[in-house]
Amino acid sequence: NEWKLKSQAKLKEEKGIETIKEEQTNRKTKSRDKLRVEKGPLEIRGKQNEWKLKSQAKLKEEKGIDTIKEEQKKRNLKSQAKLKEEKDIKTVKEDQNKRKLKSRDKLRVEKGPLEIRGKQNEWKLKSRKRKMQIDPEDLQNQETNRKRLSLKKQRNENPEQLKMNLNKWQRKFRLIDSEKKRLKKFRERTMFNAIFICSCCQRRLFDCNVSKLTTKLITEIETKKPGLYKR
């Protein structure tokens, strides 16, 4: 180890740190390409993941989880600042969104959309609780800004759909569950009488007992039981 340190210090003085780093990266890339040809990319990726897990476990034992997280955050901030200097902020954000979409699609295929949605909701709740403890006013301001921006986006894309959604939301939460509300629901659902014919059992039913046969519903039926809709 002493001999290695002496040789490294000597090389740094002779060539410089940047040239040594470039040579190291070139050697690493050559060895990786060679191993990919000999063994295959999947086997190498598996070994790399094992090595990463071992090194992470070793660091957690030596330093602790909190210090490692702080170091990771610092590295991420440095890399983001470097990218922003080299490229524009818009291009950096676009690249980040592309990477996120790729990883989400991969996870959806591997684990399924319901499991991923559940984990995302758990992560959102944890982050919201953490932010509420740190600064509740800042969190409220961020949420209001996000809502305002999303409403603006929906108005520009589809204003009629937004009006319908807002009206539905107001109908749900304006009236408290009472006799008037229940009577209103009953009158709305029995307004047209039993005139809606079911495509399966051919019976005449009320509006609340049937659902509109759209392309979305047909795709859901076909995914659950292929060939059922055509029968």
Side-chain angles (χ1 to χ4, degrees), residues 182-195:
R182 288 196 291 273
L183 185 66
K184 193 183 176 185
K185 274 185 183 178
F186 176 74
R187 282 175 179 169
E188 280 177 356
R189 288 176 181 180
T190 58
M191 192 189 290
F192 299 107
N193 208 340
I195 58 166

Side-chain angles (χ1 to χ4, degrees), residues 90-217:
K90 287 180 181 178
T91 52
V92 173
K93 281 182 179 177
E94 282 174 2
D95 292 333
Q96 283 176 353
N97 291 323
K98 281 175 185 177
R99 281 198 297 273
K100 281 178 184 177
L101 286 166
K102 278 182 183 178
S103 65
R104 278 177 193 168
D105 292 333
K106 195 180 177 182
L107 286 165
R108 275 173 192 158
V109 171
E110 287 174 359
K111 295 181 179 179
L114 292 169
E115 192 178 345
I116 291 153
R117 202 174 289 160
K119 283 179 181 177
Q120 281 175 352
N121 291 326
E122 283 176 7
W123 178 77
K124 279 177 185 177
L125 286 166
K126 281 178 184 176
S127 66
R128 196 173 183 282
K129 281 178 184 176
R130 193 172 65 249
K131 285 174 183 176
M132 277 291 283
Q133 287 173 0
I134 295 159
D135 195 356
E137 288 181 3
D138 188 29
L139 179 68
Q140 284 177 356
N141 290 324
Q142 283 178 6
E143 284 178 350
T144 50
N145 285 323
R146 275 200 297 274
K147 282 176 184 176
R148 186 170 52 77
L149 288 165
S150 67
L151 284 166
K152 193 178 179 182
K153 193 180 177 182
Q154 285 174 11
R155 275 196 198 100
N156 291 326
E157 287 176 357
N158 198 350
E160 290 178 1
Q161 187 67 36
L162 178 66
K163 280 180 184 177
M164 284 168 73
N165 291 330
L166 287 168
N167 288 326
K168 279 180 187 177
W169 182 79
Q170 282 174 359
R171 279 180 212 147
K172 273 185 183 178
F173 296 100
R174 192 180 286 165
L175 294 166
I176 301 160
D177 192 17
S178 61
E179 289 179 4
K180 285 182 180 179
K181 192 175 179 181
R182 288 196 291 273
L183 185 66
K184 193 183 176 185
K185 274 185 183 178
F186 176 74
R187 282 175 179 169
E188 280 177 356
R189 288 176 181 180
T190 58
M191 192 189 290
F192 299 107
N193 208 340
I195 58 166
F196 300 95
I197 299 160
C198 179
S199 62
C200 183
C201 62
Q202 302 298 320
R203 287 189 298 163
R204 291 179 183 275
L205 301 166
F206 288 102
D207 188 18
C208 59
N209 301 122
V210 294
S211 55
K212 199 174 179 182
L213 194 68
T214 56
T215 52
K216 191 181 176 181
L217 185 64

Side-chain angles (χ1 to χ4, degrees), residues 28-41:
K28 280 178 184 177
T29 50
K30 280 178 183 178
S31 65
R32 278 176 192 167
D33 293 332
K34 195 179 177 182
L35 285 165
R36 274 173 191 159
V37 172
E38 287 174 0
K39 295 181 179 180

